[in-house]
Amino acid sequence: MQIFEQVLSELEPLCLAEQDFISKFFKLQHQPAPAQVETADDVDGMLQSRPASEHRHSISSDKDMVRQMMNKIFHSIETELNSLIALGDKIDSFNSLYMLVKMSHHVWTAENVDPASFLSTTLGNVLVTVKRNFDKCISGQIRQMEEVKISKKSKVGILSFVTVFEEFAELAETIFRNAERRGDLDKAYVKLIRAVFMNVEKVANESQKTPRDVVMMENFHHIFSTLSRLKISCLETERKEAKQKYTDHLQYYVINSLGQPLEKLNHFFEGVEARVAQGVREEEVSYQLAFNKQELRKVIKEYPGKEVKKGLDNLYKKVDKHLCEEESLLQVVWHSMQDEFIRQYKHFEGLINRCYPGSGITMDFTIQDMLEYFSSIAQSH
């Protein structure tokens, strides 16, 4: 895109110089100054003696003549610029970001010199094309998100459009730094990020190989990391939302997965809690046939420490199969599972103390045992 900038940089002084030459050579009042009226020769004296409205009309007519002459000399400029823009867009639609910033700057410069000049008008017309290409680039990204297809046989991982958004944002933040058209980028960001959020959820709901919570957790973690790194102020709300979604689905995945190693124990205590919720006093739960001390001992007996560790080892392997390598969340998930397991253990322990007081019933393994299980499993893989 250096060629694009070079063309604009060389075109600007050339057009301004030619316009100045035409104005002087044909004595056209393109850019009149008060001093010219005061030191006028006979011709300018006639202009000075005209009524103000006639003088303004003369200046307007002169400007039109200058524009007409410039149009005849440089009639192909707009077409050629549009062809160059079309080529850049064909090579890579992301080129529209660079062209929008550069063209906007040159239009702004030309308008500061003379908003009615041939150069200002021509570049303004071409800017419309560049802005249209920029909008098309954004719409194209959104359409690609909506059309994305995922494999039914392999795990989902970080979705392609999440990575494309990251690349777009990195490039845009470099190009639009201190640019006049920052507002256009901010509007595009909001459209893109909402589409990213919506389509991550869509893919997560359709995923067959990877659990929904894993798709949500990994992709929103990636989005949160990207927005935190780039510090895009207009997306601060979305950054917080991405973090919340990542945290929520990490927790859902951990809780759902931990139900498996202690499934019968979980089921038993859910039943205990249901009875209490129905109005049975905690100290009387043990008189319920399905939840008496004998039944509790029977369930606890099925989960000796050795079996619990085996169940956790199988769980680690399953989690490892679900998660993708590029996001590196395995240890984060495993540590969260450890925390949740300890929370559940303490919860079960509390229910035993309250619903089976004085029974002497305890779990077959301690919290210290659990910490050792989690640590040795992580180190062995």
Side-chain angles (χ1 to χ4, degrees):
M1 282 286 95
Q2 288 179 339
I3 294 171
F4 186 70
E5 170 60 17
Q6 188 178 346
V7 167
L8 292 177
S9 296
E10 292 183 10
L11 183 66
E12 194 171 292
L14 183 68
C15 284
L16 292 174
E18 186 64 28
Q19 181 175 283
D20 190 48
F21 170 77
I22 290 170
S23 300
K24 288 177 180 175
F25 187 82
F26 293 102
K27 296 190 184 327
L28 298 169
Q29 302 292 320
H30 187 70
Q31 288 179 303
Q36 288 178 298
V37 178
E38 290 170 13
T39 61
D41 55 19
D42 293 340
V43 177
D44 288 341
M46 289 169 65
L47 287 171
Q48 191 179 19
S49 64
R50 293 176 190 170
S53 60
E54 188 180 335
H55 185 63
R56 283 195 299 271
H57 178 70
S58 172
I59 293 170
S60 178
S61 298
D62 288 353
K63 285 186 176 183
D64 287 342
M65 286 180 68
V66 172
R67 256 197 310 272
Q68 286 172 25
M69 290 184 198
M70 290 291 290
N71 272 322
K72 286 186 181 295
I73 297 168
F74 296 107
H75 66 91
S76 64
I77 280 182
E78 190 170 327
T79 306
E80 293 298 330
L81 280 174
N82 281 331
S83 296
L84 180 61
I85 288 161
L87 176 63
D89 191 56
K90 187 179 179 182
I91 293 168
D92 186 349
S93 64
F94 279 15
N95 283 332
S96 63
L97 280 74
Y98 182 86
M99 290 190 282
L100 180 62
V101 169
K102 290 301 177 185
M103 185 57 76
S104 298
H105 179 71
H106 282 276
V107 168
W108 179 79
T109 305
E111 284 180 346
N112 275 352
V113 174
D114 182 358
S117 69
F118 164 80
L119 180 66
S120 180
T121 305
T122 302
L123 294 183
N125 291 341
V126 175
L127 179 59
V128 173
T129 303
V130 173
K131 178 61 167 65
R132 192 178 297 127
N133 284 350
F134 176 77
D135 292 340
K136 192 173 72 178
C137 171
I138 303 305
S139 301
Q141 285 190 65
I142 292 172
R143 188 170 60 254
Q144 285 173 4
M145 293 179 203
E146 293 167 348
E147 293 172 354
V148 75
K149 295 282 186 285
I150 57 168
S151 170
K152 293 180 180 178
K153 295 181 180 178
S154 57
K155 55 187 169 187
V156 174
I158 303 305
L159 292 159
S160 57
F161 59 79
V162 171
T163 308
V164 169
F165 172 78
E166 180 182 16
E167 291 168 359
F168 173 88
E170 285 173 346
L171 180 65
E173 286 305 299
T174 303
I175 293 172
F176 278 79
R177 191 172 288 121
N178 304 320
E180 289 93 350
R181 300 295 292 245
R182 178 73 203 197
D184 290 310
L185 177 63
D186 287 347
K187 286 177 189 173
Y189 271 148
V190 173
K191 283 183 185 176
L192 283 172
I193 201 71
R194 295 323 307 176
V196 169
F197 278 29
M198 186 175 70
N199 286 287
V200 168
E201 296 223 20
K202 176 172 168 276
V203 171
N205 291 335
E206 294 171 355
S207 172
Q208 295 179 16
K209 181 76 174 175
T210 306
R212 179 179 186 275
D213 289 322
V214 172
V215 177
M216 295 287 285
M217 171 183 71
E218 290 186 324
N219 282 279
F220 279 106
H221 178 266
H222 196 90
I223 295 164
F224 167 67
S225 299
T226 297
L227 296 180
S228 296
R229 176 166 52 84
L230 296 178
K231 296 180 174 64
I232 302 169
S233 57
C234 71
L235 297 182
E236 182 58 23
T237 301
E238 284 77 11
R239 187 186 74 85
K240 290 175 182 175
E241 187 180 342
K243 183 182 182 182
Q244 190 61 53
K245 285 180 181 290
Y246 154 64
T247 307
D248 288 348
H249 288 281
L250 167 63
Q251 196 63 20
Y252 299 153
Y253 178 62
V254 165
I255 291 169
N256 290 336
S257 299
L258 274 178
Q260 293 160 2
L262 302 175
E263 192 171 0
K264 290 180 182 177
L265 200 58
N266 269 304
H267 186 68
F268 182 88
F269 283 113
E270 280 173 4
V272 169
E273 289 180 304
R275 290 293 189 279
V276 173
Q278 289 165 7
V280 176
R281 291 170 64 185
E282 287 184 335
E283 59 271 22
E284 293 177 358
V285 169
S286 63
Y287 298 114
Q288 302 275 315
L289 188 61
F291 301 102
N292 60 31
K293 294 173 189 176
Q294 190 178 348
E295 290 298 317
L296 174 58
R297 287 193 179 96
K298 196 188 296 181
V299 176
I300 286 176
K301 196 175 180 181
E302 289 193 43
Y303 292 100
K306 187 179 176 183
E307 286 301 310
V308 170
K309 185 177 181 181
K310 185 179 175 182
L312 288 173
D313 192 60
N314 290 333
L315 176 62
Y316 187 95
K317 290 172 186 173
K318 193 169 186 178
V319 171
D320 192 24
K321 284 181 182 177
H322 287 160
L323 303 184
C324 67
E325 290 180 11
E326 60 258 48
E327 208 54 24
S328 304
L329 287 177
L330 181 56
Q331 293 309 315
V332 174
V333 171
W334 193 238
H335 191 271
S336 295
M337 285 185 164
Q338 176 181 288
D339 291 345
E340 177 59 24
F341 205 122
I342 291 171
R343 189 197 68 76
Q344 283 189 18
Y345 181 94
K346 289 179 177 176
H347 181 62
F348 296 159
E349 216 173 30
L351 284 171
I352 292 171
N353 291 335
R354 293 194 306 274
C355 300
Y356 304 89
S359 65
I361 300 173
T362 58
M363 306 282 270
D364 189 64
F365 54 94
T366 64
I367 288 178
Q368 193 56 45
D369 292 333
M370 283 165 46
L371 291 171
E372 193 278 322
Y373 300 157
F374 273 91
S375 178
S376 64
I377 289 169
Q379 289 170 15
S380 66
H381 288 279

CSV table of all heavy atoms in Angstrom, one decimal, residues 141-148 150 159 161-162 191-206 215-216 219-220:
chain,number,residue,atom,x,y,z
A,141,GLN,N,-16.7,-10.0,6.6
A,141,GLN,CA,-16.3,-10.8,7.8
A,141,GLN,C,-17.5,-11.3,8.6
A,141,GLN,O,-17.4,-12.5,9.0
A,141,GLN,CB,-15.5,-9.8,8.7
A,141,GLN,CG,-14.1,-9.5,8.3
A,141,GLN,CD,-13.3,-8.8,9.3
A,141,GLN,OE1,-13.0,-9.4,10.4
A,141,GLN,NE2,-12.9,-7.6,9.1
A,142,ILE,N,-18.5,-10.5,8.7
A,142,ILE,CA,-19.7,-11.0,9.4
A,142,ILE,C,-20.4,-12.2,8.7
A,142,ILE,O,-20.8,-13.2,9.3
A,142,ILE,CB,-20.7,-9.8,9.6
A,142,ILE,CG1,-20.1,-8.8,10.6
A,142,ILE,CG2,-22.1,-10.3,10.1
A,142,ILE,CD1,-20.9,-7.5,10.7
A,143,ARG,N,-20.4,-12.1,7.3
A,143,ARG,CA,-21.0,-13.2,6.5
A,143,ARG,C,-20.2,-14.5,6.7
A,143,ARG,O,-20.8,-15.5,6.8
A,143,ARG,CB,-21.0,-12.7,5.1
A,143,ARG,CG,-21.8,-13.7,4.2
A,143,ARG,CD,-22.0,-13.1,2.8
A,143,ARG,NE,-20.8,-12.8,2.1
A,143,ARG,CZ,-20.3,-11.6,1.9
A,143,ARG,NH1,-21.0,-10.6,2.3
A,143,ARG,NH2,-19.2,-11.4,1.3
A,144,GLN,N,-18.9,-14.3,6.7
A,144,GLN,CA,-18.0,-15.5,6.9
A,144,GLN,C,-18.2,-16.2,8.3
A,144,GLN,O,-18.2,-17.4,8.4
A,144,GLN,CB,-16.5,-15.1,6.8
A,144,GLN,CG,-16.1,-14.9,5.3
A,144,GLN,CD,-14.7,-14.3,5.2
A,144,GLN,OE1,-14.0,-14.2,6.2
A,144,GLN,NE2,-14.3,-14.0,4.0
A,145,MET,N,-18.5,-15.3,9.3
A,145,MET,CA,-18.8,-15.9,10.6
A,145,MET,C,-20.1,-16.7,10.6
A,145,MET,O,-20.2,-17.8,11.1
A,145,MET,CB,-19.0,-14.7,11.6
A,145,MET,CG,-17.8,-13.9,12.0
A,145,MET,SD,-18.2,-12.6,13.1
A,145,MET,CE,-16.9,-11.4,12.8
A,146,GLU,N,-21.1,-16.2,9.9
A,146,GLU,CA,-22.4,-16.8,9.8
A,146,GLU,C,-22.3,-18.1,9.0
A,146,GLU,O,-23.1,-19.0,9.2
A,146,GLU,CB,-23.4,-15.9,9.2
A,146,GLU,CG,-23.7,-14.7,10.1
A,146,GLU,CD,-24.5,-13.6,9.4
A,146,GLU,OE1,-24.6,-13.6,8.2
A,146,GLU,OE2,-24.9,-12.6,10.1
A,147,GLU,N,-21.4,-18.2,8.1
A,147,GLU,CA,-21.3,-19.4,7.2
A,147,GLU,C,-20.3,-20.4,7.7
A,147,GLU,O,-20.1,-21.4,7.0
A,147,GLU,CB,-20.9,-18.9,5.8
A,147,GLU,CG,-22.0,-18.1,5.1
A,147,GLU,CD,-21.5,-17.4,3.8
A,147,GLU,OE1,-20.3,-17.6,3.5
A,147,GLU,OE2,-22.4,-16.8,3.1
A,148,VAL,N,-19.6,-20.2,8.8
A,148,VAL,CA,-18.6,-21.1,9.2
A,148,VAL,C,-19.1,-22.5,9.5
A,148,VAL,O,-20.2,-22.6,10.0
A,148,VAL,CB,-17.8,-20.5,10.5
A,148,VAL,CG1,-18.7,-20.7,11.7
A,148,VAL,CG2,-16.5,-21.2,10.7
A,150,ILE,N,-18.1,-26.4,11.1
A,150,ILE,CA,-17.2,-27.0,12.0
A,150,ILE,C,-17.2,-28.5,11.7
A,150,ILE,O,-18.2,-29.1,11.4
A,150,ILE,CB,-17.5,-26.8,13.5
A,150,ILE,CG1,-18.9,-27.2,13.9
A,150,ILE,CG2,-17.2,-25.3,13.8
A,150,ILE,CD1,-19.2,-27.2,15.3
A,159,LEU,N,-12.1,-20.7,17.1
A,159,LEU,CA,-12.8,-20.6,15.8
A,159,LEU,C,-12.0,-19.7,14.9
A,159,LEU,O,-11.5,-18.7,15.3
A,159,LEU,CB,-14.2,-20.1,16.0
A,159,LEU,CG,-15.1,-21.2,16.7
A,159,LEU,CD1,-16.3,-20.5,17.4
A,159,LEU,CD2,-15.6,-22.2,15.8
A,161,PHE,N,-13.0,-17.4,12.8
A,161,PHE,CA,-13.4,-16.0,12.8
A,161,PHE,C,-13.0,-15.2,14.0
A,161,PHE,O,-12.9,-14.0,14.0
A,161,PHE,CB,-14.9,-15.8,12.5
A,161,PHE,CG,-15.8,-16.5,13.5
A,161,PHE,CD1,-16.1,-15.9,14.7
A,161,PHE,CD2,-16.5,-17.7,13.2
A,161,PHE,CE1,-17.0,-16.5,15.7
A,161,PHE,CE2,-17.3,-18.3,14.1
A,161,PHE,CZ,-17.6,-17.7,15.4
A,162,VAL,N,-12.8,-15.9,15.1
A,162,VAL,CA,-12.2,-15.3,16.3
A,162,VAL,C,-10.8,-14.9,16.1
A,162,VAL,O,-10.4,-13.8,16.4
A,162,VAL,CB,-12.3,-16.3,17.5
A,162,VAL,CG1,-11.5,-15.7,18.7
A,162,VAL,CG2,-13.7,-16.5,17.9
A,191,LYS,N,-20.0,-3.7,15.6
A,191,LYS,CA,-20.7,-4.6,14.7
A,191,LYS,C,-20.0,-6.0,14.7
A,191,LYS,O,-20.7,-7.0,14.8
A,191,LYS,CB,-20.8,-4.1,13.2
A,191,LYS,CG,-21.8,-3.0,13.0
A,191,LYS,CD,-21.7,-2.6,11.5
A,191,LYS,CE,-22.6,-1.4,11.2
A,191,LYS,NZ,-22.5,-1.0,9.8
A,192,LEU,N,-18.7,-6.0,14.5
A,192,LEU,CA,-17.9,-7.2,14.4
A,192,LEU,C,-18.0,-8.0,15.7
A,192,LEU,O,-18.2,-9.2,15.7
A,192,LEU,CB,-16.5,-6.9,14.1
A,192,LEU,CG,-16.2,-6.5,12.6
A,192,LEU,CD1,-14.7,-6.1,12.5
A,192,LEU,CD2,-16.4,-7.7,11.7
A,193,ILE,N,-17.8,-7.3,16.9
A,193,ILE,CA,-17.7,-8.1,18.1
A,193,ILE,C,-19.0,-8.7,18.5
A,193,ILE,O,-19.1,-9.8,19.0
A,193,ILE,CB,-17.1,-7.2,19.3
A,193,ILE,CG1,-16.6,-8.0,20.4
A,193,ILE,CG2,-18.2,-6.2,19.8
A,193,ILE,CD1,-15.3,-8.7,20.1
A,194,ARG,N,-20.1,-8.0,18.2
A,194,ARG,CA,-21.5,-8.6,18.5
A,194,ARG,C,-21.7,-9.8,17.6
A,194,ARG,O,-22.2,-10.8,18.1
A,194,ARG,CB,-22.6,-7.5,18.2
A,194,ARG,CG,-22.6,-6.3,19.1
A,194,ARG,CD,-22.3,-6.5,20.5
A,194,ARG,NE,-23.0,-7.5,21.3
A,194,ARG,CZ,-22.7,-7.8,22.5
A,194,ARG,NH1,-21.8,-7.2,23.2
A,194,ARG,NH2,-23.4,-8.8,23.1
A,195,ALA,N,-21.2,-9.7,16.4
A,195,ALA,CA,-21.4,-10.9,15.5
A,195,ALA,C,-20.5,-12.0,15.9
A,195,ALA,O,-20.9,-13.2,15.9
A,195,ALA,CB,-21.0,-10.5,14.0
A,196,VAL,N,-19.3,-11.7,16.4
A,196,VAL,CA,-18.4,-12.8,17.0
A,196,VAL,C,-19.0,-13.5,18.2
A,196,VAL,O,-19.1,-14.7,18.2
A,196,VAL,CB,-17.0,-12.1,17.4
A,196,VAL,CG1,-16.2,-13.2,18.2
A,196,VAL,CG2,-16.2,-11.7,16.2
A,197,PHE,N,-19.6,-12.7,19.1
A,197,PHE,CA,-20.2,-13.2,20.3
A,197,PHE,C,-21.4,-14.2,19.9
A,197,PHE,O,-21.5,-15.3,20.4
A,197,PHE,CB,-20.8,-12.1,21.2
A,197,PHE,CG,-19.8,-11.5,22.1
A,197,PHE,CD1,-18.4,-11.4,21.7
A,197,PHE,CD2,-20.1,-10.9,23.3
A,197,PHE,CE1,-17.5,-10.9,22.5
A,197,PHE,CE2,-19.2,-10.3,24.1
A,197,PHE,CZ,-17.8,-10.3,23.8
A,198,MET,N,-22.2,-13.7,19.0
A,198,MET,CA,-23.4,-14.4,18.6
A,198,MET,C,-23.1,-15.7,17.9
A,198,MET,O,-23.7,-16.8,18.2
A,198,MET,CB,-24.3,-13.5,17.6
A,198,MET,CG,-25.6,-14.1,17.3
A,198,MET,SD,-26.6,-13.0,16.3
A,198,MET,CE,-25.7,-13.0,14.7
A,199,ASN,N,-22.0,-15.7,17.0
A,199,ASN,CA,-21.7,-16.9,16.3
A,199,ASN,C,-20.8,-17.9,17.1
A,199,ASN,O,-20.9,-19.1,16.7
A,199,ASN,CB,-21.0,-16.5,15.0
A,199,ASN,CG,-22.0,-15.9,14.0
A,199,ASN,OD1,-22.8,-16.7,13.4
A,199,ASN,ND2,-22.0,-14.6,13.8
A,200,VAL,N,-20.1,-17.4,18.1
A,200,VAL,CA,-19.5,-18.4,19.0
A,200,VAL,C,-20.6,-19.2,19.7
A,200,VAL,O,-20.4,-20.4,19.8
A,200,VAL,CB,-18.6,-17.7,20.0
A,200,VAL,CG1,-18.2,-18.6,21.1
A,200,VAL,CG2,-17.3,-17.1,19.4
A,201,GLU,N,-21.6,-18.5,20.2
A,201,GLU,CA,-22.7,-19.2,20.8
A,201,GLU,C,-23.4,-20.2,19.9
A,201,GLU,O,-23.7,-21.3,20.2
A,201,GLU,CB,-23.7,-18.2,21.4
A,201,GLU,CG,-23.1,-17.3,22.4
A,201,GLU,CD,-24.1,-17.1,23.6
A,201,GLU,OE1,-25.0,-17.9,23.8
A,201,GLU,OE2,-23.9,-16.1,24.3
A,202,LYS,N,-23.6,-19.8,18.6
A,202,LYS,CA,-24.2,-20.6,17.6
A,202,LYS,C,-23.4,-21.9,17.4
A,202,LYS,O,-24.0,-23.0,17.4
A,202,LYS,CB,-24.4,-19.8,16.3
A,202,LYS,CG,-24.9,-20.6,15.1
A,202,LYS,CD,-25.2,-19.6,14.0
A,202,LYS,CE,-25.5,-20.4,12.7
A,202,LYS,NZ,-24.3,-20.8,12.0
A,203,VAL,N,-22.1,-21.7,17.2
A,203,VAL,CA,-21.2,-22.9,17.0
A,203,VAL,C,-21.2,-23.8,18.2
A,203,VAL,O,-21.3,-25.0,18.1
A,203,VAL,CB,-19.8,-22.5,16.6
A,203,VAL,CG1,-18.9,-23.7,16.6
A,203,VAL,CG2,-19.8,-21.8,15.3
A,204,ALA,N,-21.2,-23.2,19.4
A,204,ALA,CA,-21.2,-24.0,20.6
A,204,ALA,C,-22.4,-24.8,20.8
A,204,ALA,O,-22.4,-26.0,21.2
A,204,ALA,CB,-21.1,-23.0,21.8
A,205,ASN,N,-23.6,-24.3,20.4
A,205,ASN,CA,-24.8,-25.0,20.4
A,205,ASN,C,-24.9,-26.2,19.4
A,205,ASN,O,-25.5,-27.2,19.6
A,205,ASN,CB,-26.0,-24.1,20.2
A,205,ASN,CG,-26.2,-23.1,21.3
A,205,ASN,OD1,-25.8,-23.4,22.4
A,205,ASN,ND2,-26.8,-22.0,21.0
A,206,GLU,N,-24.2,-26.0,18.3
A,206,GLU,CA,-24.2,-27.0,17.2
A,206,GLU,C,-23.1,-28.1,17.4
A,206,GLU,O,-23.1,-29.1,16.8
A,206,GLU,CB,-24.0,-26.3,15.9
A,206,GLU,CG,-25.2,-25.4,15.5
A,206,GLU,CD,-24.8,-24.6,14.2
A,206,GLU,OE1,-23.7,-24.7,13.7
A,206,GLU,OE2,-25.7,-23.9,13.7
A,215,VAL,N,-16.3,-24.9,24.1
A,215,VAL,CA,-16.3,-24.0,23.0
A,215,VAL,C,-16.4,-22.6,23.5
A,215,VAL,O,-15.7,-21.7,23.1
A,215,VAL,CB,-17.4,-24.3,22.0
A,215,VAL,CG1,-17.4,-23.3,20.9
A,215,VAL,CG2,-17.3,-25.7,21.4
A,216,MET,N,-17.4,-22.4,24.4
A,216,MET,CA,-17.6,-21.0,25.0
A,216,MET,C,-16.4,-20.6,25.8
A,216,MET,O,-15.9,-19.4,25.6
A,216,MET,CB,-18.9,-21.0,25.8
A,216,MET,CG,-20.2,-21.3,25.1
A,216,MET,SD,-20.7,-19.9,24.0
A,216,MET,CE,-21.4,-18.8,25.3
A,219,ASN,N,-13.1,-19.9,23.5
A,219,ASN,CA,-13.2,-18.8,22.6
A,219,ASN,C,-13.4,-17.5,23.3
A,219,ASN,O,-12.8,-16.5,22.9
A,219,ASN,CB,-14.3,-19.1,21.6
A,219,ASN,CG,-13.8,-20.0,20.5
A,219,ASN,OD1,-13.2,-19.6,19.5
A,219,ASN,ND2,-14.2,-21.3,20.6
A,220,PHE,N,-14.1,-17.4,24.4
A,220,PHE,CA,-14.3,-16.2,25.1
A,220,PHE,C,-13.1,-15.8,25.9
A,220,PHE,O,-12.8,-14.7,26.1
A,220,PHE,CB,-15.6,-16.2,25.9
A,220,PHE,CG,-16.8,-15.9,25.1
A,220,PHE,CD1,-17.7,-16.9,24.8
A,220,PHE,CD2,-17.0,-14.6,24.7
A,220,PHE,CE1,-18.8,-16.6,24.0
A,220,PHE,CE2,-18.1,-14.3,23.9
A,220,PHE,CZ,-19.0,-15.3,23.6
